[in-house]
Amino acid sequence: MTNSTRVTFLGPSASFSHQAALNSFGKSVNLFPSVSFAEAFSAVQNDSADYAVIPFENSTNGSVVQTLDLLADRQGLYKDVTVCGEYFLTVHHCLIGGKPTAKEKYGSITKLYTHPQAWGQCDSFLSKHFRGVERQDVSSTSKATEIVSKDTSGQTAAIASRLAAEHYNAVVLEENIEDSADNTTRFLILRNIQSARTASASVNLAGDVASAKTGSKTRKTLISFMIEHSSPGSLADALSVFKTHGLNLTSINSRPSMLRPWQYIFFIECEHVPNSSIHDTLEELKSICKSYRELGTWIDGLPFPNCV
Amino acid sequence: MTNSTRVTFLGPSASFSHQAALNSFGKSVNLFPSVSFAEAFSAVQNDSADYAVIPFENSTNGSVVQTLDLLADRQGLYKDVTVCGEYFLTVHHCLIGGKPTAKEKYGSITKLYTHPQAWGQCDSFLSKHFRGVERQDVSSTSKATEIVSKDTSGQTAAIASRLAAEHYNAVVLEENIEDSADNTTRFLILRNIQSARTASASVNLAGDVASAKTGSKTRKTLISFMIEHSSPGSLADALSVFKTHGLNLTSINSRPSMLRPWQYIFFIECEHVPNSSIHDTLEELKSICKSYRELGTWIDGLPFPNCV
């Protein structure tokens, strides 16, 4: 990969997607935020980015429907967008201030800022040190950090990542204040399947990241499909194809098809090793589905095996 | 059912859940709002309501995860809550003002209020008549109506339901301004399985509603279960049980198990007719699942057949 590799992530700057992009690609690439999920997909489709890093699933909150809906691509806007990798980021929160404040001085902090989801993720810490303190919701943890970074009175603090603190030159007062040690977000790495620039690099990227962390060469493939809703057992038939070929499913999701109410587009992800029967499996699946699209194959980034 | 039947719905007053509750139970029951999904579940569990009406799925936006997470009942708080019916409500929006305003006077309206989701649902109408007009997000369409009902200047309007207009004595300026004629929300009706008060009434309720509208006596059953994630093909096996017994699946959902990251609790809904093999099917399913709970059986409220 050259230094001019362009990687977009779901913004704002210093978001968790930014962290995932940094961890996946390092600091030498050209990293820039997209203001929305759709903008990140467009950037890859229109070749204004080589890669996009977007959240796909959180271990506590479940699937990210915005990503599923863009992968469903009901209007055919993102025909060339394909998944080429994944990155698992453990979500750590910090208490961040505009100036250093010792623990025994937390009493001087009278207002806290963060994204609504983060309050619940740091409940024990907040109950212990900040009971009854005013809470202000903001649109992102990054924004919360920006706000408190400008206040050196010692009366405000944000809950956000270390990256956000570094980005805004704010002070980390305390690290790992989250309740759950294993709150993890899985990010997908997208590329354009027509791009010669990323065709070889992406495999190496995914391989390097995955094998360095896991030693695994297991691959994952993501497929979207629709089935004939008037035919009973169609979904069971589709899933049976994977079982017959001995392939594990690692996730299943459904979203409205938007073609007719109460009909769905399904997303299935399976794992396989090199030289497995994945090709035959997908051909068989294709033959029994009303619509079918392969959304990408990449090297497993998960440090432990799992299947559904 | 007596007049003292207590029915709670997801508030605020004049919400779409309120409309679904009115359509299902009529005006003679004691209807009251719950401020949250959890409060509606608690009301049924604690017997402060006989029934609760909550949204489960929208034909455009998909499943309502708050409802799935409460049905998952990971802390065992809602052991006796069971689904006893469903109601399909087509979502219609109106343009609502504090005083009558003719169409040719829409130019005097300089500010619009609604819930963020409703803007997108009325895009064509708004583009035609209110291009560039200021939009103010509020927490509910009901709240939007309350705000404009107090303004008789003719300069503000809300997008909300006819029920909201009636509730706040506001004026419906135009009806059915939504883009899609088939944007439908499915509501579940909950009762307490221990309650003798609702044991017989609920079946009649669902039966009356469903058969009056559809002539159908098809029933639906909702089950939640977890499978052994280390065993390949477990989900395919679980779904095959339904296929083997000739039962159609009508929905499938998954949410994080919260026991371990990347393990899931599944929700499956199937349809069956009286004297079908549903009992054997569920016994077989139970025998192969790690955990299993029947969440209720009710008479199908959908006016057309569908299966996955």
Side-chain angles (χ1 to χ4, degrees), chain A residues 64-66 68-69 74 254-258 261-264, chain B residues 16 55-66 68 91 93 115-121 180 182-186 253:
Chain A
V64 178
V65 296
Q66 294 96 322
L68 289 174
D69 280 342
R74 299 177 185 93
S254 63
R255 293 289 300 151
S257 70
M258 301 291 195
W262 324 120
Q263 293 198 343
Y264 305 92
Chain B
F16 286 101
F56 184 57
E57 184 179 16
N58 175 272
S59 60
T60 306
N61 299 316
S63 300
V64 178
V65 295
Q66 294 96 322
L68 289 174
V91 175
H93 289 298
H115 184 271
Q117 215 161 63
W119 303 119
Q121 293 175 354
S180 165
D182 61 4
N183 183 21
T184 303
T185 300
R186 173 155 72 129
N253 282 286

mmCIF file of all heavy atoms in Angstrom, chain A residues 64-66 68-69 74 254-258 261-264, chain B residues 16 55-66 68 91 93 115-121 180 182-186 253:
data_model
loop_
_atom_site.group_PDB
_atom_site.id
_atom_site.type_symbol
_atom_site.label_atom_id
_atom_site.label_comp_id
_atom_site.label_asym_id
_atom_site.label_seq_id
_atom_site.Cartn_x
_atom_site.Cartn_y
_atom_site.Cartn_z
ATOM 1 N N VAL A 64 -26.175 -2.880 13.185
ATOM 2 C CA VAL A 64 -26.313 -1.477 12.808
ATOM 3 C C VAL A 64 -27.172 -1.433 11.540
ATOM 4 O O VAL A 64 -26.718 -1.791 10.452
ATOM 5 C CB VAL A 64 -24.925 -0.848 12.570
ATOM 6 C CG1 VAL A 64 -25.044 0.594 12.120
ATOM 7 C CG2 VAL A 64 -24.073 -0.958 13.831
ATOM 8 N N VAL A 65 -28.438 -1.051 11.691
ATOM 9 C CA VAL A 65 -29.375 -1.175 10.576
ATOM 10 C C VAL A 65 -29.018 -0.254 9.412
ATOM 11 O O VAL A 65 -29.274 -0.591 8.260
ATOM 12 C CB VAL A 65 -30.854 -0.965 10.993
ATOM 13 C CG1 VAL A 65 -31.286 -2.045 11.963
ATOM 14 C CG2 VAL A 65 -31.094 0.407 11.568
ATOM 15 N N GLN A 66 -28.408 0.893 9.680
ATOM 16 C CA GLN A 66 -28.006 1.782 8.579
ATOM 17 C C GLN A 66 -27.051 1.054 7.622
ATOM 18 O O GLN A 66 -27.151 1.205 6.406
ATOM 19 C CB GLN A 66 -27.288 3.040 9.112
ATOM 20 C CG GLN A 66 -28.157 3.979 9.933
ATOM 21 C CD GLN A 66 -28.018 3.738 11.421
ATOM 22 O OE1 GLN A 66 -27.893 2.589 11.867
ATOM 23 N NE2 GLN A 66 -28.068 4.804 12.195
ATOM 24 N N LEU A 68 -26.788 -2.293 7.244
ATOM 25 C CA LEU A 68 -27.545 -3.352 6.554
ATOM 26 C C LEU A 68 -28.355 -2.755 5.403
ATOM 27 O O LEU A 68 -28.394 -3.316 4.303
ATOM 28 C CB LEU A 68 -28.475 -4.074 7.536
ATOM 29 C CG LEU A 68 -27.793 -4.969 8.576
ATOM 30 C CD1 LEU A 68 -28.825 -5.492 9.575
ATOM 31 C CD2 LEU A 68 -27.074 -6.147 7.914
ATOM 32 N N ASP A 69 -29.007 -1.621 5.645
ATOM 33 C CA ASP A 69 -29.852 -1.021 4.603
ATOM 34 C C ASP A 69 -29.018 -0.566 3.400
ATOM 35 O O ASP A 69 -29.481 -0.636 2.264
ATOM 36 C CB ASP A 69 -30.672 0.142 5.178
ATOM 37 C CG ASP A 69 -31.902 -0.363 5.925
ATOM 38 O OD1 ASP A 69 -32.298 -1.531 5.721
ATOM 39 O OD2 ASP A 69 -32.471 0.395 6.725
ATOM 40 N N ARG A 74 -31.035 -1.292 -2.312
ATOM 41 C CA ARG A 74 -32.301 -1.527 -3.015
ATOM 42 C C ARG A 74 -32.410 -0.725 -4.304
ATOM 43 O O ARG A 74 -33.129 -1.105 -5.215
ATOM 44 C CB ARG A 74 -33.470 -1.210 -2.079
ATOM 45 C CG ARG A 74 -33.473 -2.088 -0.825
ATOM 46 C CD ARG A 74 -34.608 -1.685 0.097
ATOM 47 N NE ARG A 74 -34.587 -2.408 1.359
ATOM 48 C CZ ARG A 74 -33.991 -1.962 2.466
ATOM 49 N NH1 ARG A 74 -33.345 -0.810 2.468
ATOM 50 N NH2 ARG A 74 -34.034 -2.675 3.572
ATOM 51 N N SER A 254 -32.165 -9.728 9.078
ATOM 52 C CA SER A 254 -33.166 -9.458 8.046
ATOM 53 C C SER A 254 -33.593 -7.996 8.122
ATOM 54 O O SER A 254 -33.538 -7.372 9.183
ATOM 55 C CB SER A 254 -34.377 -10.385 8.201
ATOM 56 O OG SER A 254 -35.016 -10.157 9.435
ATOM 57 N N ARG A 255 -33.957 -7.437 6.979
ATOM 58 C CA ARG A 255 -34.469 -6.071 6.892
ATOM 59 C C ARG A 255 -35.658 -6.085 5.931
ATOM 60 O O ARG A 255 -35.768 -6.974 5.082
ATOM 61 C CB ARG A 255 -33.396 -5.114 6.355
ATOM 62 C CG ARG A 255 -32.216 -4.912 7.280
ATOM 63 C CD ARG A 255 -32.560 -4.104 8.509
ATOM 64 N NE ARG A 255 -33.036 -2.769 8.179
ATOM 65 C CZ ARG A 255 -33.901 -2.069 8.929
ATOM 66 N NH1 ARG A 255 -34.385 -2.559 10.028
ATOM 67 N NH2 ARG A 255 -34.289 -0.877 8.553
ATOM 68 N N PRO A 256 -36.561 -5.093 6.038
ATOM 69 C CA PRO A 256 -37.676 -5.061 5.088
ATOM 70 C C PRO A 256 -37.152 -5.000 3.649
ATOM 71 O O PRO A 256 -36.184 -4.294 3.372
ATOM 72 C CB PRO A 256 -38.397 -3.755 5.455
ATOM 73 C CG PRO A 256 -38.039 -3.493 6.882
ATOM 74 C CD PRO A 256 -36.637 -4.008 7.031
ATOM 75 N N SER A 257 -37.812 -5.764 2.759
ATOM 76 C CA SER A 257 -37.374 -5.786 1.358
ATOM 77 C C SER A 257 -37.656 -4.459 0.664
ATOM 78 O O SER A 257 -37.002 -4.104 -0.293
ATOM 79 C CB SER A 257 -38.090 -6.902 0.601
ATOM 80 O OG SER A 257 -39.461 -6.562 0.440
ATOM 81 N N MET A 258 -38.653 -3.743 1.150
ATOM 82 C CA MET A 258 -39.154 -2.494 0.540
ATOM 83 C C MET A 258 -39.872 -2.765 -0.785
ATOM 84 O O MET A 258 -40.281 -1.823 -1.450
ATOM 85 C CB MET A 258 -38.047 -1.458 0.310
ATOM 86 C CG MET A 258 -37.331 -1.038 1.562
ATOM 87 S SD MET A 258 -38.427 -0.066 2.626
ATOM 88 C CE MET A 258 -37.246 0.655 3.756
ATOM 89 N N PRO A 261 -44.686 -4.986 1.838
ATOM 90 C CA PRO A 261 -44.606 -5.079 3.294
ATOM 91 C C PRO A 261 -44.483 -6.531 3.768
ATOM 92 O O PRO A 261 -45.059 -7.436 3.153
ATOM 93 C CB PRO A 261 -45.945 -4.480 3.763
ATOM 94 C CG PRO A 261 -46.381 -3.605 2.648
ATOM 95 C CD PRO A 261 -45.882 -4.265 1.394
ATOM 96 N N TRP A 262 -43.752 -6.753 4.832
ATOM 97 C CA TRP A 262 -43.586 -8.066 5.486
ATOM 98 C C TRP A 262 -42.860 -9.088 4.599
ATOM 99 O O TRP A 262 -42.993 -10.273 4.784
ATOM 100 C CB TRP A 262 -44.918 -8.620 5.999
ATOM 101 C CG TRP A 262 -45.814 -7.540 6.506
ATOM 102 C CD1 TRP A 262 -47.058 -7.235 6.026
ATOM 103 C CD2 TRP A 262 -45.527 -6.591 7.545
ATOM 104 N NE1 TRP A 262 -47.555 -6.157 6.705
ATOM 105 C CE2 TRP A 262 -46.655 -5.728 7.636
ATOM 106 C CE3 TRP A 262 -44.461 -6.367 8.400
ATOM 107 C CZ2 TRP A 262 -46.722 -4.676 8.550
ATOM 108 C CZ3 TRP A 262 -44.525 -5.309 9.293
ATOM 109 C CH2 TRP A 262 -45.646 -4.490 9.369
ATOM 110 N N GLN A 263 -42.123 -8.582 3.621
ATOM 111 C CA GLN A 263 -41.173 -9.438 2.931
ATOM 112 C C GLN A 263 -39.788 -8.893 3.247
ATOM 113 O O GLN A 263 -39.609 -7.686 3.407
ATOM 114 C CB GLN A 263 -41.426 -9.435 1.430
ATOM 115 C CG GLN A 263 -42.760 -10.093 1.099
ATOM 116 C CD GLN A 263 -42.873 -10.504 -0.346
ATOM 117 O OE1 GLN A 263 -42.113 -10.048 -1.193
ATOM 118 N NE2 GLN A 263 -43.813 -11.380 -0.629
ATOM 119 N N TYR A 264 -38.816 -9.781 3.309
ATOM 120 C CA TYR A 264 -37.532 -9.404 3.879
ATOM 121 C C TYR A 264 -36.372 -9.706 2.946
ATOM 122 O O TYR A 264 -36.443 -10.591 2.108
ATOM 123 C CB TYR A 264 -37.314 -10.159 5.201
ATOM 124 C CG TYR A 264 -38.439 -9.954 6.171
ATOM 125 C CD1 TYR A 264 -39.530 -10.831 6.212
ATOM 126 C CD2 TYR A 264 -38.455 -8.850 7.013
ATOM 127 C CE1 TYR A 264 -40.591 -10.620 7.088
ATOM 128 C CE2 TYR A 264 -39.500 -8.636 7.887
ATOM 129 C CZ TYR A 264 -40.574 -9.524 7.918
ATOM 130 O OH TYR A 264 -41.617 -9.298 8.766
ATOM 131 N N PHE B 16 -49.361 6.700 17.788
ATOM 132 C CA PHE B 16 -49.893 5.639 16.930
ATOM 133 C C PHE B 16 -50.257 4.391 17.757
ATOM 134 O O PHE B 16 -51.195 3.674 17.418
ATOM 135 C CB PHE B 16 -48.912 5.309 15.801
ATOM 136 C CG PHE B 16 -48.878 6.378 14.733
ATOM 137 C CD1 PHE B 16 -47.864 7.314 14.690
ATOM 138 C CD2 PHE B 16 -49.898 6.467 13.789
ATOM 139 C CE1 PHE B 16 -47.858 8.335 13.724
ATOM 140 C CE2 PHE B 16 -49.899 7.477 12.821
ATOM 141 C CZ PHE B 16 -48.874 8.407 12.791
ATOM 142 N N PRO B 55 -45.577 -1.217 19.709
ATOM 143 C CA PRO B 55 -45.163 -1.508 18.332
ATOM 144 C C PRO B 55 -44.131 -2.629 18.291
ATOM 145 O O PRO B 55 -43.283 -2.733 19.181
ATOM 146 C CB PRO B 55 -44.542 -0.193 17.858
ATOM 147 C CG PRO B 55 -44.106 0.503 19.100
ATOM 148 C CD PRO B 55 -45.068 0.085 20.183
ATOM 149 N N PHE B 56 -44.218 -3.467 17.253
ATOM 150 C CA PHE B 56 -43.324 -4.613 17.130
ATOM 151 C C PHE B 56 -42.497 -4.528 15.850
ATOM 152 O O PHE B 56 -41.352 -4.948 15.800
ATOM 153 C CB PHE B 56 -44.171 -5.897 17.115
ATOM 154 C CG PHE B 56 -43.372 -7.171 17.078
ATOM 155 C CD1 PHE B 56 -42.425 -7.445 18.052
ATOM 156 C CD2 PHE B 56 -43.582 -8.114 16.078
ATOM 157 C CE1 PHE B 56 -41.686 -8.637 18.028
ATOM 158 C CE2 PHE B 56 -42.856 -9.304 16.046
ATOM 159 C CZ PHE B 56 -41.912 -9.566 17.026
ATOM 160 N N GLU B 57 -43.090 -3.981 14.802
ATOM 161 C CA GLU B 57 -42.421 -4.024 13.503
ATOM 162 C C GLU B 57 -43.088 -3.001 12.583
ATOM 163 O O GLU B 57 -44.293 -2.834 12.613
ATOM 164 C CB GLU B 57 -42.632 -5.436 12.921
ATOM 165 C CG GLU B 57 -41.933 -5.695 11.625
ATOM 166 C CD GLU B 57 -42.158 -7.126 11.114
ATOM 167 O OE1 GLU B 57 -43.090 -7.812 11.601
ATOM 168 O OE2 GLU B 57 -41.408 -7.544 10.232
ATOM 169 N N ASN B 58 -42.287 -2.325 11.786
ATOM 170 C CA ASN B 58 -42.828 -1.407 10.783
ATOM 171 C C ASN B 58 -42.417 -1.900 9.402
ATOM 172 O O ASN B 58 -41.288 -2.368 9.221
ATOM 173 C CB ASN B 58 -42.326 0.012 11.049
ATOM 174 C CG ASN B 58 -42.756 0.983 9.977
ATOM 175 O OD1 ASN B 58 -42.079 1.163 8.968
ATOM 176 N ND2 ASN B 58 -43.927 1.586 10.159
ATOM 177 N N SER B 59 -43.318 -1.771 8.454
ATOM 178 C CA SER B 59 -43.056 -2.345 7.126
ATOM 179 C C SER B 59 -41.896 -1.652 6.421
ATOM 180 O O SER B 59 -41.297 -2.209 5.511
ATOM 181 C CB SER B 59 -44.316 -2.283 6.261
ATOM 182 O OG SER B 59 -44.740 -0.947 6.106
ATOM 183 N N THR B 60 -41.552 -0.442 6.827
ATOM 184 C CA THR B 60 -40.429 0.284 6.227
ATOM 185 C C THR B 60 -39.187 0.256 7.112
ATOM 186 O O THR B 60 -38.083 0.024 6.631
ATOM 187 C CB THR B 60 -40.824 1.757 5.980
ATOM 188 O OG1 THR B 60 -42.018 1.777 5.209
ATOM 189 C CG2 THR B 60 -39.734 2.504 5.245
ATOM 190 N N ASN B 61 -39.378 0.469 8.411
ATOM 191 C CA ASN B 61 -38.224 0.595 9.306
ATOM 192 C C ASN B 61 -37.776 -0.711 9.935
ATOM 193 O O ASN B 61 -36.740 -0.759 10.590
ATOM 194 C CB ASN B 61 -38.521 1.600 10.417
ATOM 195 C CG ASN B 61 -38.808 2.972 9.871
ATOM 196 O OD1 ASN B 61 -38.108 3.448 8.983
ATOM 197 N ND2 ASN B 61 -39.872 3.593 10.358
ATOM 198 N N GLY B 62 -38.582 -1.766 9.790
ATOM 199 C CA GLY B 62 -38.183 -3.066 10.333
ATOM 200 C C GLY B 62 -38.553 -3.243 11.798
ATOM 201 O O GLY B 62 -39.417 -2.535 12.330
ATOM 202 N N SER B 63 -37.888 -4.188 12.449
ATOM 203 C CA SER B 63 -38.233 -4.576 13.820
ATOM 204 C C SER B 63 -37.968 -3.458 14.810
ATOM 205 O O SER B 63 -37.072 -2.648 14.622
ATOM 206 C CB SER B 63 -37.398 -5.788 14.231
ATOM 207 O OG SER B 63 -37.662 -6.851 13.363
ATOM 208 N N VAL B 64 -38.745 -3.463 15.890
ATOM 209 C CA VAL B 64 -38.568 -2.498 16.966
ATOM 210 C C VAL B 64 -37.716 -3.187 18.038
ATOM 211 O O VAL B 64 -38.196 -4.062 18.763
ATOM 212 C CB VAL B 64 -39.941 -2.066 17.529
ATOM 213 C CG1 VAL B 64 -39.767 -1.096 18.690
ATOM 214 C CG2 VAL B 64 -40.799 -1.436 16.417
ATOM 215 N N VAL B 65 -36.454 -2.809 18.114
ATOM 216 C CA VAL B 65 -35.531 -3.556 18.970
ATOM 217 C C VAL B 65 -35.863 -3.417 20.452
ATOM 218 O O VAL B 65 -35.620 -4.346 21.223
ATOM 219 C CB VAL B 65 -34.042 -3.201 18.723
ATOM 220 C CG1 VAL B 65 -33.620 -3.607 17.332
ATOM 221 C CG2 VAL B 65 -33.768 -1.733 18.964
ATOM 222 N N GLN B 66 -36.442 -2.289 20.856
ATOM 223 C CA GLN B 66 -36.823 -2.143 22.267
ATOM 224 C C GLN B 66 -37.803 -3.249 22.683
ATOM 225 O O GLN B 66 -37.713 -3.790 23.783
ATOM 226 C CB GLN B 66 -37.498 -0.795 22.538
ATOM 227 C CG GLN B 66 -36.589 0.421 22.358
ATOM 228 C CD GLN B 66 -36.727 1.050 20.985
ATOM 229 O OE1 GLN B 66 -36.886 0.337 19.979
ATOM 230 N NE2 GLN B 66 -36.645 2.355 20.913
ATOM 231 N N LEU B 68 -38.175 -6.246 21.167
ATOM 232 C CA LEU B 68 -37.452 -7.531 21.158
ATOM 233 C C LEU B 68 -36.625 -7.693 22.442
ATOM 234 O O LEU B 68 -36.620 -8.765 23.053
ATOM 235 C CB LEU B 68 -36.534 -7.619 19.939
ATOM 236 C CG LEU B 68 -37.222 -7.785 18.577
ATOM 237 C CD1 LEU B 68 -36.201 -7.716 17.444
ATOM 238 C CD2 LEU B 68 -37.991 -9.102 18.497
ATOM 239 N N VAL B 91 -50.082 3.662 8.625
ATOM 240 C CA VAL B 91 -49.671 4.972 9.136
ATOM 241 C C VAL B 91 -50.089 6.071 8.151
ATOM 242 O O VAL B 91 -49.603 6.124 7.020
ATOM 243 C CB VAL B 91 -48.140 5.009 9.354
ATOM 244 C CG1 VAL B 91 -47.672 6.409 9.767
ATOM 245 C CG2 VAL B 91 -47.731 3.973 10.399
ATOM 246 N N HIS B 93 -50.510 10.284 7.741
ATOM 247 C CA HIS B 93 -50.145 11.572 8.319
ATOM 248 C C HIS B 93 -51.067 12.670 7.796
ATOM 249 O O HIS B 93 -51.520 12.621 6.656
ATOM 250 C CB HIS B 93 -48.704 11.938 7.963
ATOM 251 C CG HIS B 93 -47.679 11.108 8.664
ATOM 252 N ND1 HIS B 93 -47.540 11.084 10.025
ATOM 253 C CD2 HIS B 93 -46.728 10.257 8.184
ATOM 254 C CE1 HIS B 93 -46.549 10.275 10.357
ATOM 255 N NE2 HIS B 93 -46.039 9.754 9.260
ATOM 256 N N HIS B 115 -42.011 14.624 14.410
ATOM 257 C CA HIS B 115 -40.977 13.662 14.807
ATOM 258 C C HIS B 115 -40.035 13.467 13.612
ATOM 259 O O HIS B 115 -40.496 13.435 12.469
ATOM 260 C CB HIS B 115 -41.649 12.327 15.175
ATOM 261 C CG HIS B 115 -40.679 11.308 15.693
ATOM 262 N ND1 HIS B 115 -40.009 10.433 14.859
ATOM 263 C CD2 HIS B 115 -40.258 11.034 16.946
ATOM 264 C CE1 HIS B 115 -39.217 9.668 15.593
ATOM 265 N NE2 HIS B 115 -39.354 10.004 16.863
ATOM 266 N N PRO B 116 -38.729 13.329 13.863
ATOM 267 C CA PRO B 116 -37.762 13.228 12.755
ATOM 268 C C PRO B 116 -38.147 12.194 11.684
ATOM 269 O O PRO B 116 -37.945 12.432 10.489
ATOM 270 C CB PRO B 116 -36.463 12.810 13.460
ATOM 271 C CG PRO B 116 -36.590 13.310 14.865
ATOM 272 C CD PRO B 116 -38.064 13.339 15.176
ATOM 273 N N GLN B 117 -38.719 11.056 12.084
ATOM 274 C CA GLN B 117 -39.047 10.010 11.117
ATOM 275 C C GLN B 117 -40.130 10.434 10.119
ATOM 276 O O GLN B 117 -40.180 9.941 8.995
ATOM 277 C CB GLN B 117 -39.520 8.761 11.866
ATOM 278 C CG GLN B 117 -39.091 7.472 11.198
ATOM 279 C CD GLN B 117 -39.169 6.314 12.169
ATOM 280 O OE1 GLN B 117 -40.259 5.994 12.640
ATOM 281 N NE2 GLN B 117 -38.049 5.692 12.461
ATOM 282 N N ALA B 118 -40.982 11.360 10.534
ATOM 283 C CA ALA B 118 -42.125 11.716 9.687
ATOM 284 C C ALA B 118 -41.727 12.594 8.491
ATOM 285 O O ALA B 118 -42.396 12.564 7.458
ATOM 286 C CB ALA B 118 -43.213 12.404 10.524
ATOM 287 N N TRP B 119 -40.640 13.359 8.622
ATOM 288 C CA TRP B 119 -40.237 14.193 7.472
ATOM 289 C C TRP B 119 -40.052 13.323 6.235
ATOM 290 O O TRP B 119 -40.574 13.620 5.157
ATOM 291 C CB TRP B 119 -38.917 14.921 7.738
ATOM 292 C CG TRP B 119 -38.860 15.811 8.946
ATOM 293 C CD1 TRP B 119 -38.022 15.677 10.022
ATOM 294 C CD2 TRP B 119 -39.647 16.988 9.213
ATOM 295 N NE1 TRP B 119 -38.241 16.689 10.939
ATOM 296 C CE2 TRP B 119 -39.225 17.505 10.465
ATOM 297 C CE3 TRP B 119 -40.657 17.653 8.517
ATOM 298 C CZ2 TRP B 119 -39.786 18.663 11.030
ATOM 299 C CZ3 TRP B 119 -41.212 18.797 9.081
ATOM 300 C CH2 TRP B 119 -40.785 19.276 10.317
ATOM 301 N N GLY B 120 -39.293 12.254 6.417
ATOM 302 C CA GLY B 120 -38.975 11.374 5.288
ATOM 303 C C GLY B 120 -40.208 10.666 4.738
ATOM 304 O O GLY B 120 -40.255 10.301 3.566
ATOM 305 N N GLN B 121 -41.200 10.478 5.604
ATOM 306 C CA GLN B 121 -42.404 9.754 5.171
ATOM 307 C C GLN B 121 -43.361 10.646 4.373
ATOM 308 O O GLN B 121 -44.323 10.145 3.778
ATOM 309 C CB GLN B 121 -43.119 9.160 6.395
ATOM 310 C CG GLN B 121 -42.298 8.062 7.069
ATOM 311 C CD GLN B 121 -42.939 7.532 8.354
ATOM 312 O OE1 GLN B 121 -43.950 8.044 8.820
ATOM 313 N NE2 GLN B 121 -42.342 6.489 8.901
ATOM 314 N N SER B 180 -45.984 6.889 1.005
ATOM 315 C CA SER B 180 -46.284 5.483 0.751
ATOM 316 C C SER B 180 -47.632 5.112 1.344
ATOM 317 O O SER B 180 -47.895 5.381 2.522
ATOM 318 C CB SER B 180 -45.195 4.614 1.387
ATOM 319 O OG SER B 180 -45.627 3.281 1.466
ATOM 320 N N ASP B 182 -48.682 2.186 1.868
ATOM 321 C CA ASP B 182 -48.677 0.932 2.637
ATOM 322 C C ASP B 182 -47.625 0.906 3.747
ATOM 323 O O ASP B 182 -47.091 -0.139 4.078
ATOM 324 C CB ASP B 182 -48.531 -0.272 1.709
ATOM 325 C CG ASP B 182 -47.230 -0.226 0.924
ATOM 326 O OD1 ASP B 182 -46.428 0.692 1.166
ATOM 327 O OD2 ASP B 182 -47.027 -1.117 0.082
ATOM 328 N N ASN B 183 -47.352 2.058 4.334
ATOM 329 C CA ASN B 183 -46.455 2.085 5.491
ATOM 330 C C ASN B 183 -47.269 1.658 6.716
ATOM 331 O O ASN B 183 -48.129 2.390 7.195
ATOM 332 C CB ASN B 183 -45.878 3.490 5.678
ATOM 333 C CG ASN B 183 -44.885 3.554 6.833
ATOM 334 O OD1 ASN B 183 -44.330 2.522 7.241
ATOM 335 N ND2 ASN B 183 -44.687 4.734 7.362
ATOM 336 N N THR B 184 -47.005 0.473 7.200
ATOM 337 C CA THR B 184 -47.850 -0.157 8.204
ATOM 338 C C THR B 184 -47.022 -0.560 9.424
ATOM 339 O O THR B 184 -45.900 -1.039 9.279
ATOM 340 C CB THR B 184 -48.498 -1.422 7.614
ATOM 341 O OG1 THR B 184 -49.215 -1.059 6.445
ATOM 342 C CG2 THR B 184 -49.438 -2.090 8.591
ATOM 343 N N THR B 185 -47.578 -0.326 10.605
ATOM 344 C CA THR B 185 -46.917 -0.793 11.822
ATOM 345 C C THR B 185 -47.728 -1.913 12.440
ATOM 346 O O THR B 185 -48.953 -1.836 12.535
ATOM 347 C CB THR B 185 -46.740 0.352 12.839
ATOM 348 O OG1 THR B 185 -45.944 1.378 12.232
ATOM 349 C CG2 THR B 185 -46.038 -0.127 14.100
ATOM 350 N N ARG B 186 -47.017 -2.963 12.819
ATOM 351 C CA ARG B 186 -47.669 -4.067 13.520
ATOM 352 C C ARG B 186 -47.470 -3.874 15.014
ATOM 353 O O ARG B 186 -46.353 -3.687 15.483
ATOM 354 C CB ARG B 186 -47.050 -5.397 13.096
ATOM 355 C CG ARG B 186 -47.568 -6.558 13.915
ATOM 356 C CD ARG B 186 -47.479 -7.856 13.176
ATOM 357 N NE ARG B 186 -46.131 -8.348 13.024
ATOM 358 C CZ ARG B 186 -45.769 -9.590 13.350
ATOM 359 N NH1 ARG B 186 -46.666 -10.435 13.848
ATOM 360 N NH2 ARG B 186 -44.544 -9.989 13.150
ATOM 361 N N ASN B 253 -35.953 -12.947 13.974
ATOM 362 C CA ASN B 253 -35.138 -11.833 14.443
ATOM 363 C C ASN B 253 -34.068 -12.364 15.375
ATOM 364 O O ASN B 253 -34.231 -13.441 15.969
ATOM 365 C CB ASN B 253 -35.995 -10.836 15.232
ATOM 366 C CG ASN B 253 -36.810 -9.942 14.330
ATOM 367 O OD1 ASN B 253 -36.297 -9.045 13.699
ATOM 368 N ND2 ASN B 253 -38.106 -10.220 14.248
#
